[in-house]
Amino acid sequence: MRDLPAGWLIPIAILFVISFPPLFGHEIIALLCGVVYGLWIGFAIVAAGTFIGEIGTWFAFKYLFRRKAQELERKNLNYGALARLTRDGGFWIVLIIRLSAVPSHFSTAVFSTCDVKFWHFFVSTFLSLPKQVVLVYLGVLLVQNNGSNKDNVIKTVMFGIVGLITVALGIWIYIKMRNVKKVLLEEQEQRGVKRAERVEMVPNVKSAFERRYDEDAAAEWTMQPTQPARMV
């Protein structure tokens, strides 16, 4: 693939296609780019394919699958929690989610349907591209046979730190989402109580006219015959 003219367009096209959920395989393509193209060229290819794919996913969910996403927000607790967290948090929450271990195609679908500004999404997606270098570097390590031990140690430590930051941010987002889930469940319970109260406020037809069909009440209103007056 490396020797083909414009062969680098092939992984970019594949990354674009698999950016649309529920497709997967991004990690495998990133590893292969590291194996075939090396660290920095492989990273550039993965970054380009990832960025273009995320933009495509944004517009697809924004205009084609919006109704489905809104329905999913009402029925899926994880989706709803991430959407509420995004709406309340603004740009910085969007950036943290992009930098975390939350799957990008999942977060992009949420961002596009919960009124996140496009430039927030655009900038945060661009700034989060460096985390792709970790996957590419793993592919490089699979075929690396030479190089000084010192350089290898420095690269390993650097990319290990990036990986730890990504996981740490993912844990932080998980904790925030867990708190939001509690709020959503409480709101759902309150809505259920209000619906029950509204139902109780509407009288039942039988109960509203209960006395009319009550036999004792009917007997009460029955006129009793009177004795004829004696003629004097």
Side-chain angles (χ1 to χ4, degrees):
M1 184 169 60
R2 186 170 185 172
D3 297 331
L4 293 175
W8 52 273
L9 290 175
I10 297 175
I12 290 180
I14 295 174
L15 287 169
F16 175 81
V17 172
I18 63 178
S19 294
F20 295 87
L23 301 177
F24 60 93
H26 178 275
E27 295 78 8
I28 297 175
I29 301 300
L31 288 173
L32 290 177
C33 285
V35 171
V36 176
Y37 292 99
L39 180 58
W40 299 115
I41 296 178
F43 166 67
I45 293 173
V46 173
T50 300
F51 188 74
I52 296 172
E54 295 300 329
I55 297 297
T57 303
W58 164 278
F59 284 106
F61 274 85
K62 182 75 172 179
Y63 298 107
L64 300 179
F65 306 115
R66 187 177 183 86
R67 182 176 298 179
K68 180 64 177 178
Q70 290 174 343
E71 180 183 355
L72 189 62
E73 182 178 348
R74 293 193 299 268
K75 296 181 178 180
N76 188 294
L77 188 58
N78 290 323
Y79 194 102
L82 188 60
R84 174 68 65 86
L85 181 63
T86 301
R87 289 193 183 98
D88 296 342
F91 170 75
W92 293 108
I93 285 293
V94 174
L95 178 59
I96 290 174
I97 292 174
R98 298 301 299 186
L99 291 172
S100 71
V102 176
S104 59
H105 61 274
F106 177 73
S107 61
T108 299
V110 174
F111 295 157
S112 63
T113 55
C114 65
D115 303 323
V116 171
K117 296 180 180 179
F118 178 72
W119 76 267
H120 285 181
F121 168 76
F122 186 93
V123 174
S124 61
T125 300
F126 181 80
L127 293 178
S128 64
L129 289 176
K131 74 177 186 179
Q132 305 297 331
V133 76
V134 177
L135 295 171
V136 179
Y137 182 60
L138 291 177
V140 173
L141 291 178
L142 293 176
V143 294
Q144 191 175 49
N145 295 322
N146 53 12
S148 64
N149 292 331
K150 183 178 180 180
D151 291 340
N152 292 337
V153 170
I154 292 175
K155 290 180 180 179
T156 303
V157 171
M158 183 177 65
F159 296 128
I161 292 174
V162 174
L164 288 176
I165 292 175
T166 301
V167 173
L169 291 176
I171 294 173
W172 185 81
I173 290 295
Y174 172 79
I175 295 173
K176 298 288 287 186
M177 285 180 60
R178 187 174 60 181
N179 295 333
V180 173
K181 287 179 185 179
K182 294 179 182 179
V183 175
L184 294 178
L185 291 174
E186 291 175 358
E187 292 177 353
Q188 184 180 20
E189 184 178 355
Q190 291 174 0
R191 287 194 296 268
V193 171
K194 289 181 180 180
R195 282 196 297 266
E197 290 176 350
R198 286 197 297 267
V199 171
E200 291 178 358
M201 289 175 64
V202 178
N204 185 286
V205 174
K206 183 175 180 180
S207 64
F209 299 96
E210 187 173 1
R211 289 189 60 83
R212 177 177 295 181
Y213 299 104
D214 187 86
E215 294 181 358
D216 295 335
E220 230 176 280
W221 289 95
T222 303
M223 295 183 64
Q224 300 292 333
T226 56
Q227 297 293 330
R230 179 177 299 178
M231 300 295 294
V232 177

